Every structure is written in C-alpha cells, then in structure tokens.
Amino acid sequence: MEFNWGDSTWELMLTKRPSDTHFSQSSTPGGKSPLVRDDDNMLNTHAVLFDGDKALLGILTAGVVVTAAAVKAAPHIKSGLISLKSKLRRKAEETTDAETPVPLTVVAEVDLERPDPPRLRAV
C-alpha cells in the first residue's frame, strides 16, 4: 500500500531484524531509521524491508478466519459451559445432602412375639 501525501510517499512495510536489537532513532520526530543497533547502541546491521500489503492481507485473512470460527463455535461453547455449571451445581447439592446427618427417631415400639410354627396335618 503506497500513497502520496504532500511531498512524501508513504508505504506500508514489514521489517525483519535480529533479536535483541532495536531500530536507530530517526532525525524525524517519532520516526525510526532502518539501521539496527544492539543494546550498547552499536550499529549492528540494516533491517530487511518486505512488502506490507501481503502481510496486511495475511493478518486480515487470519482475523476473518478466527472470527468466523469463534462465531460458529460460540453456541457450542455456551451450551457446554451451561451444562458444566449445571453438573457442578448438582454435585454441590449432592455433597451438601450427603454431609447433612439425618436424625433417627423411633416412631413406635413393637413387641414381636414368635408365632407358632406351622403344624403338619396327616392326610
């Protein structure tokens, strides 16, 4: 992406530089130079510049794909979370019921007598 503004041409670029380095400060306020320096501010190399249009197109495509996947998966994720919440709530209720002691009370006392054994009749 390139456009002219005033007496300057602006272009979107993707840069590559070694790890643990930084760009030099430009004489233009807020700008950076393609010179790459190390932590001791010693000149290390130049940055490599790539076409930013392809990078921007890739980033936008990835964003669209991720958004579409999220929109498609959202109902399933929501359903799963509701189901999990319900299961956890039931499990908490079961645990509470199991931990609560139930008092035993005697309703009535019955004196059980042994009944007479069955008698055999002669035929």
Side-chain angles (χ1 to χ4, degrees):
M1 178 182 337
E2 185 177 304
F3 62 94
N4 291 323
W5 186 10
D7 61 345
S8 299
T9 300
W10 291 76
E11 187 172 357
L12 180 64
M13 301 294 279
L14 186 65
T15 62
K16 177 183 174 186
R17 59 183 169 84
S19 298
D20 300 327
T21 61
H22 59 274
F23 290 112
S24 294
Q25 199 63 34
S26 173
S27 59
T28 304
K32 299 286 184 177
S33 168
L35 298 175
V36 178
R37 298 184 179 270
D38 61 17
D39 290 337
D40 297 328
N41 214 26
M42 298 296 296
L43 183 61
N44 190 318
T45 186
H46 287 81
V48 181
L49 306 175
F50 296 95
D51 183 14
D53 294 343
K54 292 178 184 176
L56 181 61
L57 181 60
I59 291 169
L60 290 175
T61 302
V64 168
V65 168
V66 168
T67 301
V71 167
K72 183 130 177 114
H76 300 289
I77 293 171
K78 183 178 178 182
S79 173
L81 290 175
I82 290 171
S83 174
L84 177 63
K85 184 178 175 182
S86 176
K87 286 178 185 176
L88 290 174
R89 186 177 298 135
R90 274 187 266 136
K91 182 69 175 172
E93 288 172 1
E94 289 173 7
T95 304
T96 304
D97 291 343
E99 291 175 355
T100 306
V102 178
L104 298 176
T105 56
V106 176
V107 177
E109 289 187 23
V110 178
D111 186 21
L112 296 176
E113 295 180 10
R114 292 190 176 205
D116 293 333
R119 294 184 185 182
L120 295 174
R121 288 193 244 175
V123 182

